[in-house]
Amino acid sequence: MDKVMKGFGARGASGASSGTNIQAGDVPLKSSEVCPSKITIPGKRAPLDLTLKTTLQFVSSSSVKWCHNLSTSCRGTVAGGRSQSSGRTRQESNKEFLFSKALQSWVYPQSMLPAPIVSAMLSSTARGEKDFIHKRYQDWEDSFQNLYYMFRKNLLNIFYVCTAQFVALFISGNCLEKQSCNAYLSQSTRGMRSLLRKQGVSFSMPLCKAEMEQATEDDLIEFSKIRTLNLGQTLHIDALSEVDNTTQSLLSFTGNKSVHGLYDVLLNYKSFLNSLSATDVPVLYSPVPFQNGSLHIPKVICREMRKADSGLASSSVLDDAGEPGSAASDPPLAAGSVCYSMEIKDAALPPWVVSGVCAAMTSDTDRFDLT
């Protein structure tokens, strides 16, 4: 994975300068042709993308009414109801099973508390509010430990830890097709990297083009004292100061020892990371059930749209019965001028949702566009 990421970084650097010509055989190619903005990938599987999304939009010439009906029944089932299926063909049952399974994630906590509310509860003298926060944090610890235990026992091959500042991904060899244990942390800062080094956690920065800084926390304290005394008008230039909180600041942890070191730091984040001490617990995302986790289904919106080349630009949202809810003044849709859109929205859409929904859609139609 590190080699792949370093390749991305090198490729981005080579494509950064405009007018660069690259020789492919006897024909010179411009950098824009080597790194096009749109890439066609053969096959029916979605490309591997481990970043969390917020919105997925599918556009197809085939109706997505069945997706709308199924997503509505999924939410009803989560709320305590039961969905009935009868009179469906084997193919219909298969695509509906794939789609309903693809929408499922397991999350803790089920909903987030705003930072001002957490701060107010922490500073409150009421025993009940402090007990609530303490139990919430304890439940989060239990959930994180349970996820990590399943991860190390190969009962789980991927999960996420999401905070307001960074996202941590734990991924095992089952996903990477070789026996290994890896973790990644996005949007790191110099303070975070210094903390990890102090705890003896080794990592690399595969997307970083600058040299990694080797300053420890003691170095930073010493420099701070020198700067306070203003000895010789000290000027400090950090080669990685502009990298913090950017794509290049991604940290890669390879091997059981490094991954476990990251786990220890995150498990004790309240002690190590003061910036997160007054916020709600990090959100845990998993494709399988875990301790204290709740089943979570994203919001699905289906639309019936007139194609742009028909000269019409209106759309209608399917109602709860799966029928278009258009205004009475809308003209009737002409045959062949309709396409169907399905939008899936959430605070975070993990990769198992993306790949799973793509697999369900390919079982129903030969072609669709995904954004």
Side-chain angles (χ1 to χ4, degrees):
M1 290 291 284
D2 278 8
K3 289 180 180 178
V4 172
M5 289 181 176
K6 288 176 181 176
F8 286 153
R11 190 176 183 183
S14 65
S17 57
S18 59
T20 303
N21 290 330
I22 299 174
Q23 193 80 15
D26 297 328
V27 182
L29 297 175
K30 294 181 179 178
S31 59
S32 60
E33 293 173 318
V34 177
C35 302
S37 59
K38 186 175 182 180
I39 303 173
T40 302
I41 301 176
K44 292 187 174 183
R45 296 185 64 182
L48 178 63
D49 187 346
L50 299 175
T51 57
L52 296 174
K53 311 300 179 188
T54 56
T55 306
L56 296 177
Q57 185 176 34
F58 294 83
V59 178
S60 172
S61 58
S62 301
S63 174
V64 293
K65 186 185 297 184
W66 64 274
C67 299
H68 175 85
N69 295 339
L70 196 60
S71 65
T72 304
S73 67
C74 279
R75 287 185 172 274
T77 303
V78 171
R82 282 180 172 269
S83 58
Q84 300 295 328
S85 61
S86 60
R88 294 187 177 92
T89 65
R90 187 172 182 177
Q91 182 179 3
E92 287 175 334
S93 298
N94 181 55
K95 71 180 182 182
E96 291 179 0
F97 170 76
L98 290 174
F99 184 74
S100 61
K101 192 176 187 329
L103 293 178
Q104 298 176 8
S105 294
W106 296 82
V107 181
Y108 184 84
Q110 194 170 16
S111 58
M112 293 293 292
L113 296 176
I117 293 180
V118 175
S119 298
M121 296 180 78
L122 287 172
S123 59
S124 174
T125 56
R127 182 179 179 86
E129 293 186 355
K130 287 190 174 181
D131 288 347
F132 172 82
I133 290 294
H134 176 73
K135 185 179 186 309
R136 190 174 177 86
Y137 177 68
Q138 186 60 55
D139 288 346
W140 180 86
E141 271 193 345
D142 294 341
S143 299
F144 189 27
Q145 288 175 334
N146 180 238
L147 274 174
Y148 185 72
Y149 174 82
M150 292 194 298
F151 174 72
R152 292 299 298 268
K153 293 294 183 180
N154 292 323
L155 301 174
L156 170 70
N157 53 28
I158 183 173
F159 73 94
Y160 289 83
V161 182
C162 302
T163 74
Q165 297 179 8
F166 58 81
V167 174
L169 160 66
F170 290 80
I171 184 167
S172 71
N174 292 340
C175 278
L176 305 178
E177 297 183 352
K178 76 173 189 177
Q179 292 303 314
S180 61
C181 185
N182 296 275
Y184 301 92
L185 189 138
S186 68
Q187 294 183 305
S188 71
T189 61
R190 180 163 187 170
M192 169 64 84
R193 297 188 292 269
S194 176
L195 168 64
L196 290 168
R197 289 195 189 93
K198 186 177 181 181
Q199 299 302 316
V201 183
S202 60
F203 60 86
S204 62
M205 300 177 69
L207 295 181
C208 185
K209 300 179 181 66
E211 291 185 9
M212 285 183 61
E213 80 275 31
Q214 297 299 326
T216 63
E217 188 169 323
D218 293 336
D219 294 332
L220 295 178
I221 294 173
E222 183 179 357
F223 168 74
S224 179
K225 291 178 180 177
I226 294 174
R227 185 173 57 182
T228 303
L229 296 173
N230 204 21
L231 297 177
Q233 298 294 326
T234 307
L235 177 64
H236 176 66
I237 300 175
D238 180 8
L240 289 182
S241 60
E242 296 181 358
V243 170
D244 288 1
N245 295 313
T246 67
T247 304
Q248 292 188 47
S249 68
L250 177 83
L251 305 184
S252 173
F253 304 83
T254 304
N256 294 342
K257 184 178 179 180
S258 296
V259 171
H260 190 81
L262 174 64
Y263 161 74
D264 278 338
V265 170
L266 295 180
L267 184 65
N268 299 283
Y269 77 92
K270 280 189 174 292
S271 302
F272 290 131
L273 304 173
N274 293 330
S275 57
L276 296 178
S277 60
T279 61
D280 200 6
V281 294
V283 185
L284 305 172
Y285 289 95
S286 165
V288 299
F290 62 94
Q291 185 174 343
N292 300 323
S294 300
L295 179 61
H296 183 77
I297 305 292
K299 184 178 181 181
V300 179
I301 303 172
C302 296
R303 290 184 173 90
E304 196 175 68
M305 303 187 301
R306 295 174 176 87
K307 293 182 179 178
D309 56 11
S310 66
L312 303 172
S314 62
S315 66
S316 57
V317 181
L318 298 181
D319 60 22
D320 289 339
E323 300 297 333
S326 57
S329 58
D330 286 351
L333 296 172
S337 66
V338 179
C339 64
Y340 299 88
S341 166
M342 178 177 64
E343 192 172 61
I344 303 176
K345 285 186 172 183
D346 210 343
L349 293 170
W352 56 83
V353 173
V354 181
S355 59
V357 171
C358 284
M361 295 298 288
T362 54
S363 68
D364 182 62
T365 179
D366 290 333
R367 176 179 173 80
F368 61 85
D369 292 329
L370 166 64
T371 303

